[in-house]
């Protein structure tokens, strides 16, 4: 509605190396201007990452657990905001921006196994609050 593409279409543009034209192109068939993608600039993250894969990399494991805690906290605040407490929406959105930074900190780390870089795991049962943070503060 606001003229910005959803995440799905933005990622699809990258995969297809072509922009979607607003209100013209169909899903999966962008026909706008082409653009180059430098795949050497993309972090080679492992697919379907799990915290258990980070046992040999304790700092990465801690960052993954911290990310999961923040992600769970974000979802809980968003759900509560949409379920009758709209004043929490701004806090949830601010948390979403923090998540981006946490995600990038993970993805920049090659694993000691040499099999790629770390990635968020999104495991809600594998969480650890970051230092100096509790569930009442985003």
């Amino acid at each position: 509605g606001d003229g910005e593409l959803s995440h799905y279409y933005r990622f699809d543009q990258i995969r297809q190396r072509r922009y979607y034209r607003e209100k013209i192109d169909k899903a999966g068939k962008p026909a706008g201007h082409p653009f180059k993608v430098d795949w050497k600039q993309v972090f080679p993250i492992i697919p379907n990452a799990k915290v258990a894969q980070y046992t040999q990399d304790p700092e990465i494991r801690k960052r993954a657990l911290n990310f999961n805690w923040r992600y769970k906290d974000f979802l809980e605040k968003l759900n509560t905001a949409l379920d009758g407490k709209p004043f929490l929406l701004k806090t949830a959105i601010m948390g979403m921006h923090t998540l981006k930074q946490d995600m990038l900190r993970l993805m920049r780390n090659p694993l000691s196994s040499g099999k790629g870089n770390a990635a968020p795991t999104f495991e809600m049962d594998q969480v650890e609050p970051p230092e100096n943070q509790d569930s009442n503060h985003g």
Side-chain angles (χ1 to χ4, degrees), residues 17-49:
R17 299 180 185 138
R18 189 170 288 275
Y19 290 104
Y20 276 95
R21 296 173 302 166
E22 188 177 352
K23 299 181 182 177
I24 297 174
D25 295 336
K26 295 188 188 303
K29 299 182 181 191
H33 295 290
F35 62 89
K36 292 183 181 183
V37 177
D38 183 359
W39 294 109
K40 292 177 186 165
Q41 297 297 315
V42 177
F43 296 113
I45 62 171
I46 57 173
N48 303 313

Side-chain angles (χ1 to χ4, degrees), residues 73-105:
D73 186 61
F74 160 71
L75 291 177
E76 288 171 350
K77 283 185 172 93
L78 183 62
N79 188 52
T80 302
L82 297 174
D83 197 28
K85 296 187 179 177
F87 61 89
L88 284 177
L89 188 57
K90 185 175 182 178
T91 304
I93 291 171
M94 289 179 358
M96 184 172 63
H97 294 291
T98 302
L99 281 171
K100 177 181 177 182
Q101 297 308 312
D102 289 346
M103 186 180 304
L104 288 172
R105 275 192 282 278

Side-chain angles (χ1 to χ4, degrees), residues 68-78 135 137-138:
N68 288 348
W69 185 89
R70 286 192 202 270
Y71 185 68
K72 183 177 180 179
D73 186 61
F74 160 71
L75 291 177
E76 288 171 350
K77 283 185 172 93
L78 183 62
S135 62
H137 302 91

